[in-house]
Amino acid sequence: VVDVEQFITNFEGGAATRTIGHINPIKSFYNKNIKPYSFDIEASKKLLTEDGWSDSNNNGIVDKKINGKTKELTIELYYSGKLGEDIALLMKEAAAKAGINLEIAKKEMAQIRKENLETGKFSAVLQSATADMGLDDLALRFHSDNAELGEGNLGFYINPKVDSLITAINDTDQPSERTKMYMRVQEIIYEDLPYIFLYSPKERIVI
């Protein structure tokens, strides 16, 4: 239910590239063979139905019995800034079409980090990330050693195969082998999806 192409058109004037992971798409070890997930409301509804969600009371929000109690599918999304608000509103509108109640709340990013990210008290947070033009160290965001409160693995993502690949990437001095491992780790992370990756803005840099 995340229409990334709409974000790029509406908020970046088309000057952005969809990304399937944390690595910038212009880098040589970015995995261009991975096809981004498509925006598809009907497919979203199908996935929810397969997982036992239905709108039993016809109020527009899907629900499901969990531990004997009927629970509606509500997701809290925190955001900050004007761009965050614009994206959050479009996400809320699209999610509603699939029967998902996306409750959006605006906070300053410092407040989100202190009250939510560092405490684990959140369902979803809109964030941006920056990276330099060198090799990417994926340990901070994806290694299980950092999947603790207050650390950088904000999705609390744990996958032993990803851990071993990250360690091997950081240890090797063979560019070809490192690229192969970068390609593979991106495949695994994109299948597990601890984060919903959006896009990388394009910029002109004058020197």
Side-chain angles (χ1 to χ4, degrees), residues 23-199:
I23 295 171
N24 193 298
I26 68 172
K27 293 187 176 182
S28 61
F29 46 88
Y30 175 81
N31 196 331
K32 297 179 180 178
N33 297 318
I34 300 176
K35 183 181 178 182
Y37 292 110
S38 59
F39 174 66
D40 191 332
I41 296 296
E42 293 307 314
S44 302
K45 291 179 179 179
K46 184 173 182 291
L47 287 171
L48 290 169
T49 300
E50 290 173 354
D51 198 42
W53 296 90
S54 63
D55 186 6
S56 64
N57 60 1
N58 296 313
N59 70 343
I61 304 172
V62 296
D63 54 74
K64 178 181 180 180
K65 277 196 178 297
I66 300 175
N67 297 326
K69 295 182 179 180
T70 300
K71 181 176 177 63
E72 291 186 336
L73 184 49
T74 297
I75 300 172
E76 287 183 322
L77 174 68
Y78 294 106
Y79 68 90
S80 65
K82 181 63 170 64
L83 178 59
E85 181 177 27
D86 292 340
I87 289 177
L89 287 169
L90 285 184
M91 287 179 63
K92 179 177 178 65
E93 181 181 333
K97 294 176 181 177
I100 302 168
N101 177 31
L102 191 66
E103 292 185 347
I104 62 175
K106 185 176 184 178
K107 291 184 178 181
E108 293 300 320
M109 184 49 69
Q111 185 181 8
I112 292 174
R113 179 167 292 279
K114 181 179 180 181
E115 297 178 357
N116 305 106
L117 293 176
E118 293 182 358
T119 62
K121 296 177 181 178
F122 67 94
S123 297
V125 174
L126 270 175
Q127 280 193 293
S128 61
T130 58
D132 59 31
M133 292 307 297
L135 298 173
D136 284 70
D137 183 354
L138 303 176
L140 180 64
R141 288 187 179 273
F142 301 103
H143 199 286
S144 62
D145 284 351
N146 294 314
E148 298 179 4
L149 292 177
E151 300 298 333
N153 185 343
L154 301 175
F156 304 100
Y157 175 60
I158 297 174
N159 186 315
K161 180 63 176 175
V162 168
D163 286 352
S164 64
L165 281 167
I166 289 173
T167 300
I169 287 169
N170 292 343
D171 288 345
T172 188
D173 59 359
Q174 299 296 318
S176 60
E177 289 302 311
R178 183 168 52 232
T179 295
K180 289 178 183 177
M181 291 186 286
Y182 267 129
M183 295 290 182
R184 180 58 186 141
V185 78
Q186 288 172 86
E187 291 174 353
I188 298 172
I189 291 172
Y190 200 65
E191 289 170 2
D192 291 345
L193 211 66
Y195 301 84
I196 299 173
F197 301 103
L198 301 179
Y199 62 84

